[in-house]
Amino acid sequence: MRTISRILGLGALLVAPTLFADVQIGPRPFYLIDDMENGWLKSTLDSCRDMSMTKSDFSIGHRGAALQFPEHTRESYVAAARMGAGIIECDVTFTKDRQLVCRHSQCDLQTTTDILAHPELAAKCTQPFTPAEFDANGERTKAASAVCCTSDITLDEFKSLCGKMDASDPDALTVEDYMGGTPNFRTDLYATCGTVMTHRESIELIASLGAKFTPELKEASVTMPFQGDYTQEAYAQQMIDEYKSLGVRPERVFAQSFNLDDVLYWLKADPAFGRQAVYLDGRDSDPAFDTSKPSTWSPSMQQLADMGVNIIAPPTWMLVTLDADKNIVPSVYAQQAKAAGLGIVAWTLERSGLLKDGGGYYYQSITDAIDNDGDTYRLLDVLTWDVGIDGIFSDWPATVTYYANCMGL
């Protein structure tokens, strides 16, 4: 299997020493193994129960460890590193004063922070909180809503917020109720006040944890150029420049974007960083896109490779399908990506509810073949050996770290 580290070289971290010498797996990998159907894979994974685990670049912390910790907070990143994530993600967006911060979306503060509990900041939101409305029969006619963007506030104001689990209650009549709604497969146990991070702070922290970096340049929710002269190119370059200013070697940074033009910009303007930039493939949002029909893909896999793209990252479901016997097998999409010489990173494991209920978005192409949480490892095994992925994002990195160590990746 062609790995990213083999393509690009591992590089040595010169910024700071590793904080955690020992990886702490916790009980979840064993819960998943116990839940698996009997067979070779279960026996193999079970045989590694007493193995000493080490950090793995195959294990990528998706927004940190977002299954149970508020995403893009210091606590979430530290948890991911403790669980052996060799690469940790900061989604990057900007504030009103053009400072880069870690948020999954420019306009998600209403669901991922406590901004609505700060009246002076809530008043600055693009759309202040409005309660739900119901008819005489108690049926909801309008969901509770709010839109609060990082670009609505300054960096200092952003830093005054607490991170919380990404959630909201559409039936809420009050701000307090709206800020609830955490899904039942997650938890608020570690969401007392998550420490929000600037992008620069995330670099310093992740470096101190001994991990590599995968920043995602988020699409701006405001019109670009912002404030008249802050262009998309300036935004893309600013993100790279923060790594350069801290002396981080390019091969330790896997810059990402759903916007192909961002990847092509990095390839041209800063090729040392651009050559391992990751094109996040979200083309499944196009109704005409079909993972089994290359004629519906534009550009094609070979065209992407010819542009200089080295790594593509689709959602897990696009990489697999079922054969006539309901075995999980590589999709045409996966086969074409490998044929074009593209490295593949998948997203996102451990981001769905119970697999007995079908697994949701990330499992949609194989729903008929899964019925228990242990099938998480069955999917991961196919992605690893049959598809040939180079790594996978997970909301709970311990699951992937255990597998990577057991399989000798």
Side-chain angles (χ1 to χ4, degrees):
M1 180 177 67
R2 187 180 79 160
T3 62
I4 292 174
S5 59
R6 202 156 74 205
I7 299 167
L8 304 173
L10 288 174
L13 180 64
L14 302 178
V15 180
T18 304
L19 259 179
F20 305 121
D22 298 319
V23 169
Q24 301 168 19
I25 293 298
R28 183 160 179 79
F30 307 112
Y31 163 77
L32 295 175
I33 294 167
D34 290 342
D35 198 42
M36 295 176 68
E37 297 176 2
N38 291 331
W40 175 87
L41 180 58
K42 179 174 182 174
S43 298
T44 300
L45 292 173
D46 192 61
S47 71
C48 298
R49 285 178 181 264
D50 297 324
M51 176 183 288
S52 178
M53 301 287 164
T54 59
K55 180 180 60 180
S56 172
D57 288 354
F58 191 77
S59 178
I60 306 172
H62 183 239
R63 314 181 200 178
L67 183 65
Q68 294 193 24
F69 289 84
E71 63 187 44
H72 294 309
T73 61
R74 187 184 195 281
E75 294 76 14
S76 189
Y77 294 154
V78 170
R82 287 188 187 277
M83 287 188 271
I87 303 173
I88 299 175
E89 179 187 47
C90 165
D91 290 329
V92 179
T93 188
F94 55 86
T95 60
K96 186 176 182 178
D97 47 351
R98 305 183 188 181
Q99 300 301 303
L100 302 183
V101 296
C102 298
R103 285 292 95 194
H104 176 62
S105 167
Q106 188 167 52
C107 294
D108 71 2
L109 296 181
Q110 70 279 3
T111 62
T112 64
T113 75
D114 65 345
I115 189 171
L116 294 176
H118 299 261
E120 72 284 3
L121 298 181
K124 299 182 179 184
C125 289
T126 295
Q127 178 193 315
F129 170 73
T130 57
E133 297 178 4
F134 300 85
D135 62 21
N137 297 318
E139 297 292 327
R140 191 181 72 209
T141 57
K142 182 180 179 182
S145 64
V147 178
C148 302
C149 307
T150 57
S151 52
D152 291 333
I153 58 176
T154 66
L155 177 60
D156 286 345
E157 291 169 333
F158 172 81
K159 289 290 291 177
S160 72
L161 302 177
C162 289
K164 73 177 191 69
M165 296 302 286
D166 184 10
S168 63
D169 183 353
D171 292 333
L173 299 177
T174 67
V175 164
E176 291 75 17
D177 288 342
Y178 180 79
M179 291 171 61
T182 300
N184 60 11
F185 63 90
R186 296 190 176 129
T187 181
D188 288 317
L189 284 174
Y190 308 109
T192 304
C193 182
T195 307
V196 296
M197 304 286 289
T198 67
H199 177 234
R200 189 178 184 89
E201 287 171 340
S202 81
I203 299 172
E204 294 170 338
L205 175 63
I206 293 169
S208 76
L209 298 172
K212 297 175 184 175
F213 316 85
T214 185
E216 180 191 336
L217 193 75
K218 302 303 298 187
E219 180 181 2
S221 298
V222 294
T223 301
M224 299 294 276
F226 180 59
Q227 297 175 339
D229 61 350
Y230 187 56
T231 64
Q232 183 69 24
E233 291 78 12
Y235 173 36
Q237 188 62 52
Q238 183 181 0
M239 188 182 85
I240 298 300
D241 286 346
E242 292 202 342
Y243 290 93
K244 295 167 74 172
S245 70
L246 289 169
V248 178
R249 291 173 55 177
E251 60 266 30
R252 300 196 65 83
V253 183
F254 299 89
Q256 315 168 73
S257 181
F258 280 99
N259 183 351
L260 180 57
D261 287 341
D262 291 335
V263 176
L264 297 179
Y265 170 80
W266 291 322
L267 282 164
K268 180 179 180 180
D270 228 318
F273 286 86
R275 69 191 183 102
Q276 64 269 2
V278 180
Y279 171 45
L280 296 165
D281 195 348
R283 290 179 289 176
D284 59 315
S285 61
D286 180 354
F289 186 87
D290 187 332
T291 57
S292 66
K293 297 179 179 178
S295 62
T296 67
W297 314 343
S298 181
S300 69
M301 297 299 181
Q302 189 58 55
Q303 287 170 330
L304 287 169
D306 292 344
M307 293 175 187
V309 175
N310 286 314
I311 307 168
I312 193 168
T316 50
W317 75 265
M318 287 171 56
L319 293 167
V320 290
T321 188
L322 298 179
D323 66 13
D325 297 319
K326 292 189 177 181
N327 297 308
I328 304 173
V329 295
S331 66
V332 173
Y333 177 101
Q335 294 168 356
Q336 291 283 313
K338 297 305 287 188
L342 296 174
I344 303 174
V345 174
W347 45 273
T348 303
L349 213 63
E350 303 280 54
R351 193 159 179 79
S352 298
L354 300 177
L355 267 61
K356 70 180 181 64
D357 299 325
Y361 171 80
Y362 297 96
Y363 294 83
Q364 61 184 279
S365 60
I366 57 171
T367 299
D368 290 344
I370 57 175
D371 57 16
N372 61 70
D373 287 347
D375 283 333
T376 297
Y377 275 132
R378 190 153 63 98
L379 170 61
L380 181 56
D381 194 63
V382 173
L383 289 170
T384 302
W385 301 110
D386 298 337
V387 173
I389 63 171
D390 297 308
I392 187 167
F393 286 87
S394 177
D395 275 12
W396 202 244
T399 297
V400 179
T401 301
Y402 183 98
Y403 179 89
N405 276 264
C406 189
M407 295 296 177
L409 302 181

